[in-house]
Amino acid sequence: MDNRQAIGSWISGPRAAAEDMGVEFGYRGQRLGLPEEGPGSLARPGRRFAALFIDWALCMLIAYGLLSGGKAQSASNWALVVFAVLSVLTVGTVGFTPGKRLLGLRVVAEGGGRISLPRVVLRTLLLVVVIPAVVWDRDGRGLHDRLARAVQVRI
C-alpha cells in the first residue's frame, strides 16, 4: 500500500475506509424508513444549525429586551431559559420552533406523528446541556434526538 493512500484513509475516517472495502451504508435516514430526498427526509445539518441560530437570536433579543434589565452579561443566561421554554412549548404543540418553521423543518417521532410532551422535555433538556446535541450517529441525528426517539425532517 502506498503511504499516501494510508494517510488518506486515516484522514477520511473509518466510514470512508469501510466504504472503500465495499461496505454499503445506504443513505442517511434509510434505517429509519425515511425517504432519501424531499418532504419527510432527514434534515441536513446546515439547515438545523441555521434554525438553531435563528432561535437563539430570537431568544437573545427577548432575554435582553425583557428579562435582563439591559445587562448583556445576564442576557445569555436568560436566553437559555427562554430557549428551553420556547422549545418545549412550540415543539410540544406544533412540532417546530420559529427557526425550524422558517427553514422548513419539523420534529417528529421516529415512527412518524407527533412527539409526546415527556419526550419533548427530555429532548429540550439534553439540547440545553449541549454535549448530547454534538454527538451524532451515522444518520446525522444528535444524541438528544436519539434518546428522545425523535427525528428532524424536512416539511
Side-chain angles (χ1 to χ4, degrees), residues 9 21 36 71 81 105 110 119-121 138 143:
S9 68
M21 293 187 312
E36 188 171 2
K71 297 176 187 171
V81 173
L105 304 178
E110 279 182 349
R119 292 190 342 198
V120 170
V121 171
R138 74 177 189 201
L143 187 58

Side-chain angles (χ1 to χ4, degrees), residues 29-83:
Q30 184 175 9
R31 295 182 309 151
L32 300 168
L34 300 173
E36 188 171 2
E37 293 186 17
S41 65
L42 201 63
R44 301 281 183 218
R47 279 181 137 171
R48 293 183 355 223
F49 282 131
L52 181 64
F53 178 77
I54 292 168
D55 291 335
W56 185 253
L58 177 66
C59 292
M60 281 295 288
L61 283 172
I62 292 170
Y64 184 76
L66 300 177
L67 300 172
S68 71
K71 297 176 187 171
Q73 291 177 335
S74 64
S76 60
N77 293 334
W78 281 110
L80 196 59
V81 173
V82 172
F83 180 80

